[in-house]
Amino acid sequence: MIIGAIAVAAIGILIYVMHNLRISTIREYKGKYDYINGHEIKNYKKVFLCFGIAAMLIINLYGMGKLFSIGVWFFVRLFISVAGGTLIAYVAFLILDYYYPTILNRKLRKWRFMPRKGSTGNTLRLLSEEEEDVHLEEGMKAEESAFSIDYDVWIDERSGEVKIEKYPGHLQALRCNSCGFYTMKVVREEITKEPGPDGPGELIKHYQCYYCKSVRATAFNISTREADDYKNSPRMAFRRSKNVEMIRLEIQTNTGGKKFFEFQSVGQAQKFLEEYDSEKP
């Protein structure tokens, strides 16, 4: 039985090694993202399932030399070994389902936003949400609007090469800043300002956590620019915080409620604060 436990544990280790070896052999960052997103948690569950079976076999060895007949102790030992192995696998599955997605999300973001090289060897630039629309077909825009698919557009500003990558959309749960679980999803969106000659429009996406019921909203610009306009436009940046991606506001009411809002520029945040009405839902 000890040989069986070692063999099953070795299979688990082999699955883990093969999984990471497979990732290292994928050259494209997008390919790494897709493989990790689709297989990592499944493969790790197989690993811990093997460890649980190995633990069950090892626990079942207790008192083996003193057991000469099938009696009550045989069934007690069998029950304890099965319970021990099940407990190890069950706890591991819970961790992989509820805690590990936080780690997995950081890993996926790393590969998704890793700087790309074009076919000419030049570094590609990732376009913003408002810049990328001019490179997407109408069907792609519809997919993004329906939250089913999200597209990243990378461009070589020297050669004009464009690379479009497809990712799971906003229906995939985001991390809730209140409870920490990945249970924050888009519930509705509204256009607060139509795009026109005087400037871009504004889209507000409303999120709600299905666990703690916290809500937040994020403002996005609706671009009116043509394909080459972004090349001549200055890039917006904070003077001393070049790594800042967005502005996040947290509003706490005297009833204990919390609301979170995210904006892509100082102007959007200031406009929101001027018009915000705490009595509106």
Side-chain angles (χ1 to χ4, degrees):
M1 193 168 292
I2 186 65
I3 296 177
I6 295 174
V8 174
I11 292 174
I13 296 174
L14 181 62
I15 293 174
Y16 176 82
V17 172
M18 292 299 295
H19 170 77
N20 287 277
L21 184 62
R22 177 72 178 89
I23 295 174
S24 65
T25 59
I26 300 175
R27 297 184 59 184
E28 291 287 334
Y29 296 149
K30 176 64 167 61
K32 292 179 184 289
Y33 178 100
D34 290 338
Y35 184 80
I36 293 173
N37 190 39
H39 297 87
E40 182 141 307
I41 290 181
K42 294 179 182 178
N43 287 339
Y44 283 2
K45 283 185 176 181
K46 294 177 183 178
V47 171
F48 283 103
L49 179 61
C50 291
F51 289 169
I53 295 174
M56 180 185 67
L57 295 176
I58 292 175
I59 294 173
N60 200 44
L61 289 174
Y62 181 76
M64 178 70 72
K66 300 179 181 179
L67 186 64
F68 301 102
S69 62
I70 298 178
V72 176
W73 172 243
F74 172 83
F75 294 102
V76 171
R77 189 185 65 183
L78 180 62
F79 173 78
I80 294 175
S81 62
V82 172
T86 302
L87 180 63
I88 292 175
Y90 180 71
V91 171
F93 279 30
L94 288 178
I95 293 174
L96 290 172
D97 284 335
Y98 294 101
Y99 173 74
Y100 189 72
T102 303
I103 301 174
L104 182 64
N105 184 62
R106 290 198 295 265
K107 188 180 295 187
L108 292 175
R109 286 180 61 85
K110 167 191 171 184
W111 293 118
R112 179 171 178 176
F113 300 114
M114 185 78 73
R116 268 65 163 164
K117 293 286 186 180
S119 58
T120 59
N122 298 327
T123 300
L124 305 181
R125 182 170 75 88
L126 177 63
L127 301 185
S128 65
E129 289 287 338
E130 60 178 8
E131 292 174 334
E132 69 181 20
D133 284 348
V134 296
H135 298 283
L136 300 179
E137 299 175 357
E138 291 301 322
M140 295 178 177
K141 295 178 183 178
E143 286 180 320
E144 285 199 325
S145 298
F147 317 127
S148 59
I149 298 295
D150 194 16
Y151 290 94
D152 285 352
V153 180
W154 297 80
I155 188 168
D156 183 348
E157 295 178 307
R158 295 182 180 179
S159 66
E161 177 186 358
V162 176
K163 184 176 183 180
I164 300 177
E165 296 180 349
K166 184 177 181 180
Y167 294 93
H170 301 295
L171 288 177
Q172 189 176 23
L174 303 176
R175 184 177 184 273
C176 176
N177 294 308
S178 296
C179 65
F181 293 120
Y182 278 76
T183 48
M184 182 73 72
K185 291 188 177 183
V186 175
V187 292
R188 66 186 177 92
E189 65 176 13
E190 59 179 335
I191 297 177
T192 57
K193 179 184 177 183
E194 294 288 346
D198 57 336
E202 185 178 67
L203 172 70
I204 303 292
K205 292 185 179 181
H206 297 268
Y207 301 82
Q208 183 177 31
C209 176
Y210 285 85
Y211 178 74
C212 68
K213 305 304 180 183
S214 294
V215 296
R216 78 181 189 196
T218 305
F220 297 90
N221 285 335
I222 303 176
S223 177
T224 58
R225 293 188 290 182
E226 300 296 332
D228 296 329
D229 288 349
Y230 69 89
K231 293 183 179 179
N232 301 321
S233 62
R235 298 185 185 180
M236 300 297 294
F238 291 92
R239 181 175 298 176
R240 296 182 180 178
S241 302
K242 64 179 182 179
N243 294 324
V244 174
E245 295 182 356
M246 64 177 62
I247 299 170
R248 180 172 179 270
L249 299 178
E250 176 181 343
I251 298 178
Q252 297 185 3
T253 64
N254 53 14
T255 59
K258 291 183 180 180
K259 291 185 178 181
F260 299 92
F261 302 90
E262 296 175 353
F263 305 92
Q264 295 177 323
S265 69
V266 175
Q268 290 180 353
Q270 290 175 337
K271 179 182 177 182
F272 169 79
L273 291 174
E274 292 173 356
E275 300 177 355
Y276 178 72
D277 186 350
S278 62
E279 296 183 357
K280 290 184 178 181

